[in-house]
Amino acid sequence: MNKILIVSLSALLSAPTFAGMQPFSANNLPENWPNYEIQNYNAQVENGYDGPLSNILVIYDPSIKPEQLNRYLMQQTAIANKAHDINNIEYRRNIVAAIPMKLEGDNVAEVADSFSFGDFDEIRRKYGASVVSLVINSNLADRQCGVQTSYHTVSVFNEACSLPTLLAHEWGHVDRLGHEYEHTQSHFEDDNYAWRCGGKPTIMSADLNYNQFDLNEFYSDPNVTRGGEACGTVTANNAKVLKESIAHPNSYWQNVTPLEKIGNVTIALDENQSSEFEKVITVTRDGDVSQAASIEVYSDAVTAVPATDYQELAKRVEFAPNETTKTVSLQLVNPAPTDAICDDGERTLKLGTRWGEKLGSSNQLDFTVKTPEDTLASCAKDKEPEPTPTPAPDNGNDGGGGGGSTGLLSLFGLALLLFRRRN
């Protein structure tokens, strides 16, 4: 096994056993933190940007729900790119594809030990990626949320590891960035350590024993201040080292040529082939059709509920040479009354494309779903009428208020009387 330096990010778990492993949730992100919703799936990098890119291929465990994973990836990428802005670094992270693949091992350490450097080279070159990030479920037996080995990262998609800068942290390791001095085993550089400022750690901190969102969303840098305190020193300057890594002529991403775009796709609803609960979508490409290419068609909830109103869609469409049209199906759900949303309001979702292999993304399609009338009727039938409250007997007391309190006071008085008698 060809392995070199492994740098891990350990979760200092003091919580109880994580039965069921709840998925990542970013509901309590502070208002000033970037969120995937501020940009669409295909705009991780702003129009006109022509600086250095770190193109990332994500391979994820098929047990992870695609819609949740995709929101997580966009949120993590948005925060990583915001960090570069704060540190005044012209650099962007960019997801180029997310591929489901069952990996060996039940936690970070086992998965990291299950592959060698060459295992994913062919697939990362297929998508023009410089980094491969493996996203897994974990039993957390190794007590690790993430690890970096060369240009690969392995990280956990569990609530216990829902740090919003987890991927930015591991990607930072790929770019040579280190932890705090006291958490670094091998001191190869004297200016590459994480730091705290304003009472909070920066992204490369190894200390996770703090509120998962209560940290500075940038790299250590003496030119950035928080609360009147410098966020780095001459020996804690991750930002400086990151700039040096990007400028190095043998940077790892230069070993993989980004894919050249040869065309675009459009998507449309095929009315003739569609039914009430199955919507057939045609995917058509243009441009140079002589080459093989692919792109992913995805669904995203607006107000609709995945698995209740529709089945999540994350389907990579593969075009053979000279093939121009493919179809995918979106399944709408007719749930049993016990599972249905028992109201007659309309709910919406959208379909789009992203992460094209040589292809640009398409238009979006909007869909509206409603609970079927027969299901609504069953919902109403299943509702039990609320029992009519039985009036309390008239015991001659004036006024009706304070019944419960009176009962408690009476018991208290009885207990006090018994206590006095015993003494």
Side-chain angles (χ1 to χ4, degrees):
M1 183 99 31
N2 296 321
K3 282 262 177 77
I4 54 174
L5 177 66
I6 296 179
V7 186
S8 68
L9 178 64
S10 297
L12 304 182
L13 301 174
S14 57
T17 304
F18 293 89
M21 296 304 178
Q22 295 297 314
F24 176 89
S25 171
N27 293 334
N28 56 335
L29 278 175
E31 289 184 6
N32 62 329
W33 280 74
N35 192 308
Y36 87 99
E37 291 175 338
I38 65 173
Q39 48 191 323
N40 66 40
Y41 283 104
N42 302 297
Q44 299 166 67
V45 179
E46 59 270 30
N47 290 334
Y49 176 80
D50 60 357
L53 270 176
S54 175
N55 285 320
I56 301 158
L57 169 67
V58 175
I59 296 175
Y60 67 95
D61 190 295
S63 66
I64 299 172
K65 293 182 178 180
E67 193 164 83
Q68 292 175 324
L69 174 83
N70 296 333
R71 292 176 180 229
Y72 171 69
L73 294 177
M74 294 305 102
Q75 176 257 341
Q76 293 276 326
T77 308
I79 288 177
N81 287 337
K82 181 183 178 183
H84 302 151
D85 281 341
I86 294 173
N87 290 115
N88 195 29
I89 301 172
E90 188 178 17
Y91 188 37
R92 295 292 181 269
R93 308 285 185 187
N94 179 52
I95 306 293
V96 296
I99 309 295
M101 183 187 299
K102 185 60 183 172
L103 301 165
E104 295 180 20
D106 294 321
N107 52 57
V108 166
E110 292 177 358
V111 171
D113 286 338
S114 71
F115 64 85
S116 65
F117 287 150
D119 285 343
F120 298 110
D121 267 6
E122 183 178 351
I123 190 170
R124 81 182 180 112
R125 292 176 188 279
K126 172 181 169 65
Y127 292 100
S130 49
V131 174
V132 177
S133 286
L134 311 179
V135 180
I136 65 169
N137 274 310
S138 173
N139 58 17
L140 297 177
D142 62 344
R143 304 176 69 81
Q144 290 189 96
C145 287
V147 68
Q148 169 262 336
T149 69
S150 184
Y151 45 76
H152 301 87
T153 70
V154 186
S155 58
V156 176
F157 186 78
N158 291 341
E159 190 173 26
C161 296
S162 61
L163 185 74
T165 57
L166 177 57
L167 286 179
H169 178 107
E170 299 304 338
W171 293 334
H173 283 317
V174 173
D175 287 323
R176 297 172 41 222
L177 307 188
H179 294 149
E180 296 93 338
Y181 184 90
E182 62 272 21
H183 292 298
T184 302
Q185 293 180 349
S186 301
H187 299 277
F188 297 118
E189 298 172 278
D190 61 2
D191 58 357
N192 192 18
Y193 301 111
W195 197 249
R196 297 179 69 92
C197 56
K200 302 177 183 181
T202 48
I203 285 177
M204 296 310 298
S205 174
D207 181 10
L208 289 190
N209 195 18
Y210 54 83
N211 182 289
Q212 58 188 4
F213 297 109
D214 190 23
L215 74 164
N216 290 307
E217 68 273 39
F218 49 85
Y219 302 102
S220 62
D221 186 342
N223 299 309
V224 178
T225 60
R226 288 294 183 271
E229 183 180 357
C231 294
T233 67
V234 292
T235 59
N237 196 342
N238 288 152
K240 172 179 175 288
V241 175
L242 182 55
K243 290 178 182 178
E244 292 172 353
S245 294
I246 297 167
H248 197 280
N250 295 319
S251 295
Y252 63 91
W253 57 80
Q254 296 183 15
N255 297 325
V256 179
T257 304
L259 299 182
E260 181 182 356
K261 189 170 75 170
I262 61 173
N264 294 296
V265 296
T266 56
I267 56 175
L269 175 66
D270 187 333
E271 300 276 6
N272 295 327
Q273 298 295 320
S274 297
S275 62
E276 183 179 5
F277 295 109
E278 182 181 17
K279 304 301 180 183
V280 177
I281 312 300
T282 61
V283 186
T284 306
R285 67 158 166 163
D286 59 22
D288 179 4
V289 300
S290 66
Q291 300 182 44
S294 69
I295 199 164
E296 182 176 294
V297 181
Y298 73 96
S299 62
D300 190 23
V302 180
T303 56
V305 180
T308 297
D309 288 323
Y310 69 99
Q311 296 294 342
E312 295 171 278
L313 182 62
K315 173 73 173 177
R316 182 154 287 274
V317 177
E318 304 272 355
F319 291 97
N322 299 314
E323 189 174 31
T324 59
T325 302
K326 301 280 278 190
T327 61
V328 296
S329 293
L330 171 68
Q331 300 294 328
L332 303 182
V333 179
N334 184 10
T338 53
D339 301 322
I341 298 173
C342 291
D343 64 55
D344 58 359
E346 293 184 345
R347 298 173 295 280
T348 57
L349 67 143
K350 66 180 180 180
L351 251 61
T353 59
R354 63 177 171 223
W355 298 334
E357 174 201 1
K358 304 179 184 177
L359 294 173
S361 296
S362 71
N363 55 306
Q364 290 186 345
L365 297 179
D366 296 319
F367 288 89
T368 299
V369 295
K370 293 183 66 174
T371 305
E373 293 294 334
D374 56 343
T375 304
L376 287 173
S378 298
C379 286
K381 197 180 299 181
D382 288 345
K383 284 184 178 177
E384 299 253 347
E386 293 185 8
T388 304
T390 304
D394 185 4
N395 58 8
N397 289 338
D398 291 336
S405 298
T406 302
L408 289 173
L409 289 172
S410 299
L411 289 173
F412 177 77
L414 180 61
L416 182 61
L417 178 62
L418 290 173
F419 176 80
R420 284 177 175 173
R421 284 182 178 178
R422 289 183 63 184
N423 287 276

